[in-house]
């Protein structure tokens, strides 16, 4: 992420051309790339150029991939400015009539390519619960996703939980159990690891992708067969910042059905076939390399190594996370200021709300 | 292209790995856990111990040891050496007999199992018929007599375990000839004892549980004499001259019977209950041995008055007017006596007693019968081991001073050399002097010579003297009251009862160059000690350090601080304390390090850490790491246990109350009551059967004990800028936090008066928040910084200060390298995320190549919670090798592991035993020893069996022929050993 920043900004021109659309009206103006200013100044500028001083706005822009992404704080504003090349296309909406679902990956190109992406991006729960809580657009980042559908057997599901340093607990428990497998010798009972409990309001429950009695097959690409409950627990906790669990759901009715079987999906499966295999390596670089390259995400791969962002406090200086520029941005409603966590870029009102609900979390 | 090149490099690296690393478990130090049998071969001078877990261990001269393990997981109940041979027979709990031998292989002996055998009775016979209760290895070396529970004696030919059915002595045969008035009363019961006539190997005495003893002639296959004892028999001893039989009984009596030709003389010669009048416990074993001049030695175990001293474990030794009841520390397993002379038939010289927790050897030829210090089998757990610390390559000066201090402590031991001298130790001299320090629950630190196969005790330091304890100062081990009967004398050093658990030693750090030692204990005490060759009387001033630093809302519910003696205390030569720090709250010290060049000690507890200047005797720095919301750390160590107890108690109360209330209200309605009870039962069952489940949650700053200090490290490195290196202190916590302080030391000439200062320089919070278990600074070459004073003593290359330094932080989950002075992540190795194991122990070790002498490299040695050991390369943190080492369930074994600087390690396999292992191809300490077949056995049997000289002279000739053959074999095997052998042969032939 940061590398991209540097690359982009290094070849930047001094001015950014801005084309802003509100309703049917367009405004064009320019900003100084090196001195973009703060988001609230920018917001004021937009209201000014569109002559809508008292209208609550939802600001979005089209990024290089054609995704419609929101601008609502200093960080994503700076990101928008720094990645604009050369034109920054803005889309303004009235807050009260905003279409939140417009935001997200492929949002501007979705009409062309609906079937697969719609299924992948909107898990079943989203359809069941129309007031989509977990994908409010201001939350910019996904909470969970199903990945590698093209390479996994249909009976398996690989789920990625995006912790992103939020306060929301992962919120599930695992246990020992046994599963029946079909082998050449007939049916065989093998020990396995299962999800035993979900914490109400936890990340795992809110995704709807994991359920009690699902068998855990892999953790971040590493098979759990032969590992003890404690080992699997430790593996999951060690990966908790970016947990990818492959499960065999107890309920097999909601499996993702592959469309067509061939086509684009098979093209990518060749590339990523190694990610399904059991991996036992020692170098972290290799571990990162084993991540499938085509996983659906709207942030770069190097963010997976989020635990690189250890916090270093220099004597007399200010706290700064490693390899990350400090940002000054206050959150009055945040329950507690947490200097250790990289909340500043990611926390939203959504996670704040869920935090308040989490008071009832039951622990053993 | 790139891939191919890397492949080539890797195969080269793989080759190098094979030259550098190799995993071996080499030797077990200490005292076997749960010994269950003892055997001794006078001709081999070897001692054998069998254990409840089925291990068999042989010991001879120091360094000569062998170990074997029975495949069956059954206790060894008896061990018998075949007379004058290198074979031994073990009897297990499952009634199987095993034949072991010491076989020569490449000039060394190995202990091998060569046969196993289980008695098979006639079809349809009950199992008791063949249940072996007594074993006699016949002096012919060809027969084994097996007495059974059914009262039969089976005769088996060895080796090969061929049953000689026609020679068996069945109960019916014996009973037929027993006088009617005896047999008429009761069954003879099992065979309790089998003994051979020392002067006529054809005669054996069979002792039956009921009391009857029968002398049986093996040749004529008939009973010669019946000895009709009426008490339950415990043991039988045939005196040296063959004229008497001693029998000991369950009522605490022993009898002496004359062995005569005619059956008429069946009156007991002499009967005695040595501790009589009141009922006594059984005498389980009795021995009588003659002396050249004067009365014989009489030794027996047990026989104590049941009511007053029934709980004592005693062996009584009576000689002339001397009568002593040796009072042992634990249950007596067995004992034997070593005798003087080439044929081991002279005066008794030493009594060897195996008790459950130690081996005690008593010198019977020196006045007062002092104890001989054992060179091996030392009870490591004389007080429970609480921590250990290993120091490699001790300078000779310090070594000698420690030994000298230790010798002054050992004045009460006998001066006689160790009497068990079998075998030859062929192991090369250890390349260096290594010390293993063990901290104990009673506040002592034991110094062990860990250089070789024998873990030999050098010196013992006690810290209890600094404090007031509840111990009774008059509780002297070696003094019994005057005129006491029985005349007890306490022997042995096993003493598991700690006066005060707060004294327990938790951390040790010794600087081998300066002789400064720091030890820290359970009640937050940190002592700094200095080696002094003279006794000194001094007051130890305590400095109380408040680690809370004004933190509010704290309630310490744990133990109080130790009470320091204010008056001067006399310290014997050795390590003498001169400074004391007491943490407040007095929580257990969890991290400790010493820098003898800077004269600083850093210590940490669950509340914070401090830096103490032991030259000026003041604290330089105190840092509280406590998280105010961490209730568990706030309340002290006992609260947690208490809360579990409390909750258990509450739940039981609730159940009881509900049952009572049910009874009260629904007494009439039995159906309802039953239903309610059933529901309660179900609830209880559910509570017990609830599946084990684990919570999956990222760590947070609110977890318990995040402030606990796990590791402390001193380094001279670049903390603030890359041009000036400064002394620094690093601390790592349980919550994944690393604190770095820059230290400013005054110049040497003002060291005593100008203050040392510490300034916070850096704080690193690891994102994954796993406990930090190790911190190492790597120099410009990527090598770990040397120990303090190591460079000053020319024992290490000075660190590279030109290139940039790196910081290696080892957490339980990953290894991470940061740049210095600007801390930014450089590389890392994830462990937990990949295989689910966590780092438990870590050390830096130096590995040499087994092929090229001048190549060596540093590596991290790591033990995980799965019990695997890994080597991680430095500075690139790449996993090199992995070996399974400890069972993952063996939590205390994993926790006890300590690494040496040369790739070896120790861990406890039982409370009393260290297993030693090695990851290095070059540094291996393992027993290498040779035991030869006793060559002079022939002449011994000649002397012993004069009555039928013909057969034995024949045997002698055969034996000497054997000896010649053996000698030739040995000659061809190894040139340099022959002179020794020739001498042996000469003496045997002569």
């Amino acid at each position: 992420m940061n590398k991209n920043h540097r690359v982009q900004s290094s070849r930047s021109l001094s001015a950014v051309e801005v084309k802003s659309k509100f309703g049917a009206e367009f405004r064009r103006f320019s900003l100084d790339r090196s001195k973009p200013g703060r988001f609230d100044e920018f917001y004021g500028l937009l209201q000014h150029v569109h002559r809508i001083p008292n209208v609550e706005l939802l600001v979005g822009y089209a990024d290089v991939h054609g995704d419609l992404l929101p601008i609502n704080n200093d960080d994503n504003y700076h990101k928008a400015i720094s990645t604009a090349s050369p034109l920054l296309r803005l889309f303004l909406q009235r807050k009260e009539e905003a279409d939140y679902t417009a935001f997200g990956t492929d949002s501007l190109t979705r009409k062309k390519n609906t079937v697969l992406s719609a299924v992948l991006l909107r898990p079943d729960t989203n359809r069941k619960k129309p007031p989509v809580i977990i994908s409010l657009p201001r939350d910019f980042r996904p909470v969970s996703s199903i990945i590698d559908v093209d390479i996994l057997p249909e009976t398996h599901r690989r789920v990625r939980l995006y912790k992103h340093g939020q306060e929301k607990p992962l919120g599930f428990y695992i246990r020992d159990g046994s599963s029946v497998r079909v082998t050449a010798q007939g049916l065989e009972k093998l020990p396995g690891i299962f999800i035993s409990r979900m914490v109400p309001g936890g990340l795992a429950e809110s995704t709807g992708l994991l359920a009690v009695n699902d068998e855990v097959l892999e953790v971040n690409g590493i098979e759990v067969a032969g590992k003890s409950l404690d080992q699997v627990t430790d593996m999951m906790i060690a990966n908790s910042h970016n947990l990818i669990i492959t499960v065999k759901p107890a309920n097999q009715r909601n499996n993702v059905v592959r469309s067509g079987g061939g086509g684009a999906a098979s093209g990518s499966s060749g590339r990523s076939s190694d990610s399904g295999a059991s991996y036992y390596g020692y170098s972290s670089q290799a571990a990162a390399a084993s991540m499938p390259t085509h996983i659906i995400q709207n942030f770069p791969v190097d963010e997976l190594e989020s635990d690189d962002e250890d916090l270093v406090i220099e004597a007399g200086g200010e706290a700064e996370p490693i390899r990350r520029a400090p940002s000054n941005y206050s959150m009055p409603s945040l329950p507690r200021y947490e200097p250790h966590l990289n909340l500043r870029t990611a926390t939203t009102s959504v996670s704040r709300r869920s935090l308040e609900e989490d008071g009832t979390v039951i622990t053993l | 292209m790139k891939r191919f090149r890397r492949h080539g490099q890797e195969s080269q690296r793989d080759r190098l790995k094979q030259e550098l690393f190799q995993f071996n478990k080499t030797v077990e130090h200490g005292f076997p856990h749960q010994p269950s049998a003892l055997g001794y071969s006078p001709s081999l001078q070897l001692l054998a111990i069998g254990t409840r877990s089925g291990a068999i261990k042989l010991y001879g001269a120091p360094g000569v040891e062998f170990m074997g393990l029975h495949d069956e997981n059954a206790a060894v109940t008896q061990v018998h050496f075949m007379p004058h041979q290198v074979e031994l027979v073990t009897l297990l709990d499952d009634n199987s007999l095993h034949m072991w031998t010491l076989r020569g292989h490449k000039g060394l002996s190995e202990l091998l199992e060569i046969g196993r055998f289980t008695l098979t009775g006639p079809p349809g016979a009950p199992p008791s018929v063949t249940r072996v209760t007594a074993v006699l290895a016949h002096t012919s070396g060809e027969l084994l007599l097996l007495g059974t529970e059914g009262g039969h004696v089976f005769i088996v030919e060895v080796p090969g375990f061929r049953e000689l059915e026609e020679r068996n002595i069945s109960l019916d045969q014996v009973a037929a000839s027993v006088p009617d008035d005896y047999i008429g009363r009761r069954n003879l019961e099992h065979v309790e004892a089998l003994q051979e006539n020392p002067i006529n190997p054809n005669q054996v005495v069979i002792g039956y549980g009921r009391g009857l003893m029968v002398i049986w002639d093996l040749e004529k296959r008939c009973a010669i004499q019946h000895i009709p004892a009426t008490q339950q028999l415990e043991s039988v001893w045939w005196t040296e001259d063959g004229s008497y039989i001693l029998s000991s009984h369950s009522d605490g009596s022993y009898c002496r019977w004359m062995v005569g030709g005619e059956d008429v003389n069946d009156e007991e010669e002499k009967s005695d209950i040595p501790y009589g009048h009141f009922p006594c416990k059984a005498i389980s074993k009795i021995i009588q041995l003659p002396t050249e001049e004067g009365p014989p030695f009489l030794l027996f175990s047990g026989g104590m008055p049941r009511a007053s001293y029934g709980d004592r474990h005693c062996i009584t030794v009576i000689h002339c007017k001397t009568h002593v009841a040796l009072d042992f520390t634990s249950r007596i397993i067995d004992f034997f006596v070593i005798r003087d002379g080439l044929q081991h038939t002279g005066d008794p010289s030493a009594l060897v007693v195996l008790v459950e927790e130690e081996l005690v050897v008593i010198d019977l030829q020196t006045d007062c019968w002092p104890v001989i210090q054992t060179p091996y089998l030392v009870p490591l757990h004389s007080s429970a081991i609480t921590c250990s610390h290993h120091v490699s390559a001790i300078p000779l000066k310090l070594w000698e001073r420690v030994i000298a201090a230790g010798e002054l402590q050992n004045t009460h031991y006998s001066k006689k050399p160790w009497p068990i001298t079998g075998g030859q130790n062929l192991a090369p001299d250890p390349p260096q002097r290594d010390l293993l320090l063990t901290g104990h629950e009673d506040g002592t630190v034991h110094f062990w010579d860990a250089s070789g196969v024998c873990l030999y005790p050098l010196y013992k330091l006690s810290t209890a003297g600094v404090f007031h304890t509840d111990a009774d100062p008059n509780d002297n081990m070696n003094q019994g009251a005057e005129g006491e009967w029985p005349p007890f004398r306490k022997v042995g050093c096993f003493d598991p009862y700690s006066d005060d658990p707060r004294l327990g030693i938790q951390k040790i750090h010794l600087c081998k160059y300066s002789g400064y030692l720091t030890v820290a204990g359970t009640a937050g005490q940190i002592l700094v000690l200095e080696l002094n060759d003279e006794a000194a009387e001094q007051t130890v001033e305590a400095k109380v350090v408040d680690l809370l630093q004004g933190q509010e809302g704290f309630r310490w519910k744990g133990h109080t601080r130790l009470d320091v003696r204010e008056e001067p205390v006399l310290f014997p030569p050795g390590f003498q304390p001169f400074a004391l720090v007491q943490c407040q709250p007095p929580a257990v010290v969890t991290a400790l390090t010493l820098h003898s060049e800077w004269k600083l000690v850093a210590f940490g507890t669950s509340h914070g850490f401090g830096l103490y200047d032991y030259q000026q005797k003041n604290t330089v720095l105190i840092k509280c790491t406590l998280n105010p919301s961490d209730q568990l750390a706030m309340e002290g160590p006992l609260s947690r246990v208490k809360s579990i107890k409390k909750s258990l108690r509450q739940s039981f109360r609730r159940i009881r109350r509900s049952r009572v209330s049910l009874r009260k209200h629904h007494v009439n309605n039995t159906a309802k009551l039953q239903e309610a009870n059933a529901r309660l039962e179900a609830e209880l069952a559910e509570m017990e059967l609830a599946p084990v489940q684990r919570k999956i949650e990222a760590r947070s700053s609110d977890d318990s004990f995040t402030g606990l200090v796990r590791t402390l490290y001193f380094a001279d490195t670049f903390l603030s800028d890359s041009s000036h290196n400064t002394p620094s202190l690093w601390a790592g916590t349980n919550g994944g936090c690393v604190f770095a302080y820059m230290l400013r030391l005054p110049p040497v000439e003002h060291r005593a008066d100008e203050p040392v200062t510490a300034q916070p320089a850096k704080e690193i919070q690891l994102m994954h928040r796993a406990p930090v278990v190790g911190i190492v600074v790597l120099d410009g070459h990527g090598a770990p910084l040397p120990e303090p004073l190591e460079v000053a003593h020319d024992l290490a290359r000075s660190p590279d200060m030109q290139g940039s330094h790196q910081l290696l932080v080892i957490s339980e989950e990953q290894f991470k390298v940061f740049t210095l002075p600007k801390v930014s992540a450089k590389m890392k190795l994830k462990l937990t995320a990949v295989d689910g194991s966590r780092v438990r122990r870590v050390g830096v070790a130096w590995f040499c190549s087994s092929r090229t002498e001048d190549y060596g490299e540093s590596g991290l040695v790591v033990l995980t919670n799965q019990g695997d050991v890994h080597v991680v390369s430095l500075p690139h943190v790449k996993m090199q090798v992995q070996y399974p080492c400890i069972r993952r369930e063996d939590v205390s074994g994993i926790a006890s592991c300590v690494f040496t600087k040369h790739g070896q390690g120790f861990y406890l396999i039982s409370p009393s035993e260290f297993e030693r292992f090695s990851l290095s191809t070059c540094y291996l300490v393992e027993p290498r020893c040779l035991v030869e077949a006793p060559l002079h056995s022939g002449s011994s049997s000649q002397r012993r069996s004069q009555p039928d000289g013909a057969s034995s002279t024949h045997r002698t000739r055969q034996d000497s022929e054997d000896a010649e053959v053996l000698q030739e074999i040995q000659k061809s095997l190894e040139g340099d050993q022959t002179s020794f052998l020739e001498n042996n042969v000469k003496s045997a032939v002569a």
Side-chain angles (χ1 to χ4, degrees), chain A residues 220-245:
Chain A
N220 288 48
I222 293 152
E223 276 186 46
V224 303
K227 292 199 157 61
S228 69
L229 182 64
D230 287 333
Q231 271 177 292
V232 178
T233 307
D234 286 337
M235 281 168 74
M236 287 188 176
I237 291 174
N239 286 306
S240 58
H241 291 279
N242 176 44
L243 185 59
I244 301 169
I245 320 176

Side-chain angles (χ1 to χ4, degrees), chain B residues 354-376:
Chain B
L354 177 68
V355 297
E356 204 150 37
E357 305 291 354
E358 59 186 319
L359 183 83
V360 182
V361 179
I362 288 158
D363 176 7
L364 294 177
Q365 291 178 331
T366 308
D367 286 342
C368 304
W369 297 335
V371 172
I372 301 175
Q373 165 112 53
T374 53
Y376 44 72

Side-chain angles (χ1 to χ4, degrees), chain B residues 878-895:
Chain B
K878 292 265 185 333
M879 198 61 85
Q880 300 296 305
V881 285
Q882 174 187 9
Y883 305 100
C885 179
I886 311 176
R887 283 181 308 113
R888 76 164 79 129
E889 296 81 15
D890 185 4
V891 179
S892 58
I894 291 171

Side-chain angles (χ1 to χ4, degrees), chain B residues 62 244 263 453 593 642 716 772 806 864 873 905:
Chain B
Y244 291 98
D263 230 355
V453 171
T593 188
K642 223 186 259 171
D716 188 356
V772 176
Q806 297 169 66
T864 68
S873 69

Side-chain angles (χ1 to χ4, degrees), chain B residues 691-986:
Chain B
V692 181
Q693 54 177 4
R694 295 279 182 274
K695 188 181 181 182
I696 306 300
E697 207 47 76
R699 286 192 192 79
S700 90
S701 56
D702 293 342
D703 289 346
S704 287
F705 290 110
T706 50
L708 190 144
V709 179
R710 289 289 291 267
T711 183
L712 289 160
Y713 180 70
F714 284 115
D716 188 356
T717 188
F718 302 94
L719 202 51
S720 56
D721 62 282
S722 48
S723 49
H724 298 95
N725 54 309
T726 55
S728 62
L729 170 68
W730 299 77
T733 70
N734 230 15
C737 199
V738 175
F739 299 93
Y741 284 80
M742 205 189 326
L743 307 179
R744 191 162 294 134
L745 297 162
V748 181
E749 59 273 22
H750 296 295
R751 180 64 183 81
D753 39 70
E754 279 180 27
V756 180
T757 58
Q759 280 178 332
K762 287 186 197 315
E763 194 179 322
I764 305 167
Q765 173 63 58
L766 298 178
M767 194 63 186
H768 64 285
R769 291 181 182 278
V772 176
V773 293
I775 297 171
V776 179
V777 172
L778 307 171
D779 72 4
H781 296 303
L785 292 186
E787 283 177 61
L789 292 174
E790 205 168 30
V791 175
H793 284 71
D794 284 337
L795 289 155
R797 199 180 48 176
S798 36
D800 178 57
M801 289 300 189
Q802 304 307 316
S804 57
H805 282 197
Q806 297 169 66
L807 171 71
L808 169 60
V809 176
I810 303 142
S811 78
E812 283 192 1
E813 291 188 350
Q814 48 180 262
F815 304 81
K816 202 157 186 180
V817 179
F818 297 91
T819 58
L820 281 176
K822 172 137 179 56
V823 176
S824 65
K826 202 169 170 193
M827 50 198 149
K828 68 177 165 186
L829 170 65
K830 285 185 176 183
L831 184 71
T832 315
V834 174
D835 72 353
S837 56
R838 306 169 65 83
V839 177
R840 278 283 172 269
R841 286 272 177 271
V842 65
V844 175
W846 178 256
F847 292 96
C848 291
S849 166
S850 57
R851 279 185 15 150
T852 34
E853 269 192 16
D854 51 346
Y855 183 77
E857 61 179 52
S858 285
L860 279 183
V861 193
V862 179
L863 176 74
T864 68
N865 67 338
Q866 301 297 312
D868 296 344
V869 284
H870 301 252
V871 178
V872 175
S873 69
L874 287 176
H876 299 292
V877 289
K878 292 265 185 333
M879 198 61 85
Q880 300 296 305
V881 285
Q882 174 187 9
Y883 305 100
C885 179
I886 311 176
R887 283 181 308 113
R888 76 164 79 129
E889 296 81 15
D890 185 4
V891 179
S892 58
I894 291 171
S896 66
C897 182
V898 55
F899 292 115
T900 78
K901 291 265 181 290
H902 293 93
Q904 298 193 43
F906 300 85
Y907 67 91
L908 289 172
I909 47 175
S910 72
S912 56
E913 279 168 294
F914 272 118
E915 172 81 59
R916 186 182 191 123
F917 61 88
S918 175
L919 282 160
S920 163
T921 49
C922 294
Y923 290 93
L924 268 178
V925 172
E926 58 185 345
R928 295 168 66 83
C929 32
L930 179 66
V931 173
E932 288 145 348
L935 299 170
H936 43 268
S937 59
S939 48
S940 138
S941 57
Q942 185 178 26
R943 202 193 83 94
R944 284 176 63 94
S945 49
Q946 265 150 359
D948 49 355
S951 67
S952 65
T953 45
H954 168 70
R955 200 183 301 138
T956 314
R957 203 176 309 127
Q958 199 180 357
D959 276 0
S960 56
E961 273 168 25
D962 282 352
E964 273 165 28
V965 173
L966 206 97
Q967 186 190 359
E968 272 170 35
I969 294 167
Q970 293 287 358
K971 239 182 199 166
S972 61
L973 276 174
E974 53 206 306
D976 52 339
Q977 296 296 327
T978 40
S979 59
F980 176 85
L981 240 138
E982 272 162 9
N983 288 343
N984 254 4
V985 173
K986 267 175 212 153

